[in-house]
Amino acid sequence: MDTFLQQLINGLTLGCVYAVVALGYTMVYGIIQLINFAHGEVVMIGAMVAFSVITALAGSGVPPLMIVLLGVLAAIPACALVGYTVERVAYRPLRTAPRLAPLITAIGISIVLQHLALLIWGRNFISFPQIFPTQTYQLSDSANSATITNVQIIIMVLSVAMMAGLLLLVYKTRIGIAMRATSQNPQIAGLMGININSVISFTFVIGAGLGAMAGVMVGTYYGIAHYQMGFLLGLKAFSAAVLGGIGNLGGAVLGGILIGLIEAFGAGYMGDVTNVCFLDQWLPGFSGMCEANANGSLFGSNYKDVYAFIVLIMVLVFRPSGLLGERVGDRA
């Protein structure tokens, strides 16, 4: 039970991060039917910018909370600028182009941003300074009790706050109404006086701002950042958006949480499920595999990154519209 609870906490923490990143994918897709494959790199830039600011201020006498806040305040506008620039320069001229053109452009922008980060921050993994001491809380009195850290609590609370704030923005404000109108029919929205270009740019900026926060959370949680960290993170978040139903905000949140849980429980239990030495008790054919495998498990926690993509393939095969049923369009 303690193992289950521990994997549940780990999965919810990861799932919250994936959900925040997935919102960036689904917002852009919902409004212009474009899969912005460069969004993962925007998350990476957020982590890198925050790392630079936090490192520069660490040990300067500035209070730790203020240091983290300044890192976040630097990351958000930096990512928002990147998001706006990418939309303005790379995607806007291709809105009416064949669907393959913006898809290739998105991949190209992703590579460009990776190499830009490589030039600025180098190719080595960089460590986040330990600004706050990590506090670990036991959830019961048993020796093997599940634990939760203050960083995990902060990540989950911030993620829920950002998701709620985004939903309020989209459903309770005038700009949110304009975003929804543009996603339904850009031509009619334009005839109604909505500045389509501004609304689309605003969507990219909001998505990039969420990505910046996700980047800071990932860097703080794992304690490291790297110029290629956005690639795998972005693919998992994209899988989450597809799983939930890309174009649907609630679906992105649901998909992110599910992907996080699948990854955590897969890492925690898949090794036991695929333990060939255990299976050898009933199926003698596994004896040779048991002897050849050091720990007896075919799929251990080192395969945790695979599970999200297995889920993505299964969803695309059996339910391409996602769990919440938004139609997958025919544009890139």
Side-chain angles (χ1 to χ4, degrees), residues 43 166-167 170 174 177 290:
V43 176
L166 180 64
L167 291 177
V170 171
R174 291 176 62 86
I177 294 172
C290 177

Side-chain angles (χ1 to χ4, degrees), residues 237-293:
F238 171 67
S239 303
V242 174
L243 174 62
I246 193 164
N248 186 309
L249 295 180
V253 174
L254 175 63
I257 298 296
L258 288 178
I259 289 290
L261 291 174
I262 289 169
E263 183 175 319
F265 281 105
Y269 289 104
M270 192 58 75
D272 296 333
V273 173
T274 61
N275 190 308
V276 290
C277 296
F278 178 75
L279 294 175
D280 183 49
Q281 300 176 50
W282 295 278
L283 300 171
F286 284 94
S287 59
M289 298 175 65
C290 177
E291 295 172 359
N293 198 315

